[in-house]
Amino acid sequence: MKILRKILIPFALLYGFVTWSRNLLYNAGILKSKSYDLPVICVGNLNAGGTGKSPMIEYLLKFLLSDYKVATLSRGYKRSTKGYKLLSGNETAAEVGDEPLQFKRKFNTAMVAVDADRQNGISKLQKENPEIILLDDAFQHRKVKAGLNILLTAYNDLYVNDFMLPTGYLREPTVGAERAKIIIVTKCPPKLTKREMETVRAKLRLQNYQELYFSFIEYDEEIISEEIKVKLSSLKDKKFTLVTGIANPKPLVKYLNKKGFDFDHRLFKDHHNFTEAEIAQLNKEELLLTTGKDYVRLHKSFKPGQLFYLSVKTAFLSREEEFKREILKFVHKK
């Protein structure tokens, strides 16, 4: 695999040059970006997948929804439908994408829409009169100029240590990070020291206008199956099967192992569309645990109490109130 990646270096350099040139044209105003009067917040990354964008969108929804009419706009990756669609919550993950459906099921009062064309999606959403729009995974979508860019990078996979696709996992050169006002290092060890934070800060080489925050994944104490909730600790005396179709299941597997649970792991690719044969095989298992994103794709294929999901959320190591003030400062400024 390492040899193959080295062979692909010329293609990675070419891809990097193309994306760098494209960004240069946008920065120079030759290619046009559209700005908006209402607050548009983009949550994205430079690395492909696995930085915690969905938990961050959910964090912002939970924070903002009590005081504002908030909408989210996603591409709706791997969905069967085309164009713009405003979710009701009754769709399937196959129709609208797993992450948007997860947002709608968790935050029913939010306006959740999908559209690969973000300009068109925002135009349609504006008819619903939102006060804030959250763009999910749109950092490279330069046709839209978000008022505030939040860039995520995982602690064990910093973008400064990565290389361009297809040799590495970067979607664009690291200079693109300069478009972000806020950078959040996600999936940190919960006991990360100040010295370790400063080491990361030095590696990222921030601009004067950029704010840096550190977050970690916090797991719920309960697991959920539609209307059924039980303590995660109740699985201690049971053997179960963990099913994951996410970009990076390692933190979850590590967490469950650390807790001493006895389980088998069925690993699938990110956004995996489960086949009938795979569903039939999984139905042979008495007890299944999965992620929130996988649950919206799987739950209708299992009987009540057979499939549960473990919810996760973004938690800040420090300066959480400063982060919230930064968000509200932008919202009020617009």
Side-chain angles (χ1 to χ4, degrees), residues 85-148:
K85 186 171 181 60
L86 184 66
L87 276 65
S88 67
N90 296 319
E91 300 83 2
T92 65
E95 291 172 328
V96 296
D98 47 23
E99 288 161 342
L101 185 57
Q102 180 182 332
F103 299 153
K104 187 62 180 177
R105 285 169 61 91
K106 279 191 176 182
F107 302 94
N108 189 50
T109 58
M111 291 167 268
V112 178
V114 292
D115 197 335
D117 183 341
R118 303 308 203 283
Q119 276 193 14
N120 183 66
I122 292 175
S123 176
K124 294 285 182 66
L125 265 176
Q126 285 180 305
K127 296 175 182 178
E128 307 295 329
N129 298 313
E131 295 174 293
I132 302 169
I133 294 179
L134 306 178
L135 297 181
D136 175 31
D137 195 14
F139 195 72
Q140 284 75 35
H141 199 92
R142 298 295 305 274
K143 288 184 179 180
V144 166
K145 186 175 182 181
L148 178 65

Side-chain angles (χ1 to χ4, degrees), residues 2 5 32 71-72 87 106-107 143 189 209 255 260 269 314 325:
K2 288 183 179 180
R5 288 187 179 277
K32 301 299 181 183
T72 73
L87 276 65
K106 279 191 176 182
F107 302 94
K143 288 184 179 180
Y209 56 84
Y255 175 78
K269 290 183 179 180
T314 290
R325 283 197 294 270

Side-chain angles (χ1 to χ4, degrees), residues 125-295:
L125 265 176
Q126 285 180 305
K127 296 175 182 178
E128 307 295 329
N129 298 313
E131 295 174 293
I132 302 169
I133 294 179
L134 306 178
L135 297 181
D136 175 31
D137 195 14
F139 195 72
Q140 284 75 35
H141 199 92
R142 298 295 305 274
K143 288 184 179 180
V144 166
K145 186 175 182 181
L148 178 65
N149 279 304
I150 300 175
L151 182 68
L152 310 183
T153 184
Y155 177 76
N156 287 319
D157 192 19
L158 299 175
Y159 58 79
V160 291
N161 297 331
D162 209 339
F163 201 75
M164 291 298 304
L165 288 164
T167 296
Y169 293 98
L170 286 182
R171 296 169 164 179
E172 62 174 296
T174 56
V175 68
E178 294 180 3
R179 299 197 304 276
K181 174 69 168 63
I182 294 174
I183 296 176
I184 303 177
V185 181
T186 62
K187 302 185 178 182
C188 295
K191 295 183 179 179
L192 193 68
T193 66
K194 288 186 178 180
R195 177 176 291 182
E196 289 168 325
M197 290 182 190
E198 287 308 311
T199 298
V200 172
R201 178 184 291 274
K203 286 181 180 179
L204 294 179
R205 302 185 294 274
L206 303 180
Q207 301 298 312
N208 292 335
Y209 56 84
Q210 292 180 311
E211 293 290 336
L212 181 65
Y213 299 90
F214 294 84
S215 70
F216 64 98
I217 295 173
E218 191 168 76
Y219 294 93
D220 203 338
E221 294 182 355
E222 294 181 320
I223 56 175
I224 304 167
S225 178
E226 289 306 284
E227 304 303 323
I228 305 170
K229 286 186 180 182
V230 297
K231 291 288 186 182
L232 174 63
S233 58
S234 68
L235 300 184
K236 271 292 178 68
D237 302 324
K238 300 175 182 178
K239 177 76 178 283
F240 62 89
T241 298
L242 175 68
V243 181
T244 62
I246 57 176
N248 182 15
K250 289 180 182 178
L252 174 57
V253 173
K254 183 179 179 180
Y255 175 78
L256 293 174
N257 279 326
K258 189 176 180 180
K259 289 287 185 179
F261 291 109
D262 182 15
F263 63 95
D264 295 321
H265 184 196
R266 294 288 305 277
L267 176 65
F268 298 90
K269 290 183 179 180
D270 195 20
H271 300 283
H272 179 71
N273 287 321
F274 292 87
T275 65
E276 289 184 11
E278 289 165 344
I279 296 292
Q281 193 66 34
L282 290 173
N283 253 306
K284 294 177 182 178
E285 305 295 335
E286 184 177 343
L287 183 59
L288 298 159
L289 181 66
T290 191
T291 68
K293 189 169 80 170
D294 294 309
Y295 187 82

